Amino acid sequence: MRAYAPHRNFIAAAVPTAALWRVLVGFLAASAIYLLLNNMLFTLVFNMVGPQNSAFFDDLLTGKTPAAMFLLLGSFGLMTLGVTIVARVLHRRSFASLIGPLGLAVSQFSAVVRMLVIVGAVVFVLPPWDLGEPYVPNLELGKWLLLLPLSLAAVFLQTSAEEIVFRGYVQQQLAARFNSPLVWMVLPSFLFALGHYLPNDAGENALIVALWAGVFGMLMADLTARSGSLGPAIAVHFCNNVTAILITSMPDDLSGLALYLTPFSMADAEAVRAWLPVDFVLMLISWLAARLAIRR
């Protein structure tokens, strides 16, 4: 496809080591490194805090405090480290090659963020102005603003890690081996969706949430192929998670840095399901806005 011409430059560094076994071994190795280091990190934290502080453990696992959220989001840096090690050792590639041309990625990231801020402002002033009930205040505004720079950095670390793994490493290596988007677009998105299938958290909506994540992954794969860098995909993912983690979060999970909480929790299956189509439309709007922002 002509629209995907920039993708050829994006995947060029992956071509010399495009054997399928390498991406399979590489993905498993990167996952193992991340899980091992993540386990070591949280074991260290638990040992430092002590087993008597069970309330701290509960808050940490659900992200109910700012400190817990910073630790949870910061741990995604270990995911980036894992795939960086694999790229260097198994593919003899640099970390930068997973992102694309840095100058291009930065300029596209900035352009998409600016566009999505405008879109977000328009959506904010349009009805409905709540989710059926008023939002529940969470962090005090002064504290939220004080933490905001570090909060934004933590969300950026988390979202960029996921994009580097799925749209960077996996998509690049598959696209270097297979021409069809049915492989390099769908397979990484399936893995991304699988990681978001959480029946213990999402209950009967778990499959729908995973499907949402899979579609999101394919849209981000499309943006990456059109742009030739991870900049747009990271920007959309970043803005989405800023909204869901820092502005309005659900009360039962990852709420420690949010200014407001939704009037319902993930356990309220009907309420969540009623808003998923709205969320899906907003995802499509963000994708189209990002495409407009990088249009040449």
Side-chain angles (χ1 to χ4, degrees), residues 48-159:
M48 290 175 61
V49 173
Q52 68 275 11
N53 294 313
S54 58
F56 173 84
F57 299 151
D58 293 339
D59 290 343
L60 178 59
L61 294 175
T62 55
K64 289 185 177 180
T65 66
M69 283 300 295
F70 285 134
L71 185 58
L72 289 172
L73 295 173
S75 68
F76 279 81
L78 302 175
M79 181 183 290
T80 301
L81 177 60
V83 78
T84 300
I85 292 172
V86 165
R88 173 61 67 182
V89 174
L90 190 60
H91 301 277
R92 304 193 184 283
R93 296 175 51 192
S94 68
F95 168 75
S97 70
L98 297 170
I99 300 172
L102 186 58
L104 179 65
V106 171
S107 65
Q108 290 176 334
F109 175 87
S110 300
V112 173
V113 167
R114 287 195 297 270
M115 178 67 76
L116 293 182
V117 168
I118 295 172
V119 170
V122 171
V123 171
F124 178 77
V125 300
L126 293 175
W129 293 285
D130 55 34
L131 298 177
E133 298 179 33
Y135 292 115
V136 179
N138 188 38
L139 282 183
E140 188 270 328
L141 180 59
K143 183 177 182 180
W144 184 81
L145 289 172
L146 183 65
L147 294 174
L148 186 58
L150 189 56
S151 300
L152 290 171
V155 173
F156 180 81
L157 183 64
Q158 178 254 323
T159 52

Side-chain angles (χ1 to χ4, degrees), residues 227-274:
S227 64
S229 86
L230 288 186
I234 293 176
V236 174
H237 202 160
F238 172 73
C239 290
N240 176 80
N241 284 21
V242 164
T243 301
I245 293 176
L246 302 187
I247 299 178
T248 307
S249 177
M250 289 193 168
D252 45 358
D253 196 30
L254 305 180
S255 61
L257 293 173
L259 183 60
Y260 292 103
L261 302 177
T262 60
F264 52 82
S265 69
M266 186 64 79
D268 299 323
E270 291 186 7
V272 172
R273 194 178 299 118

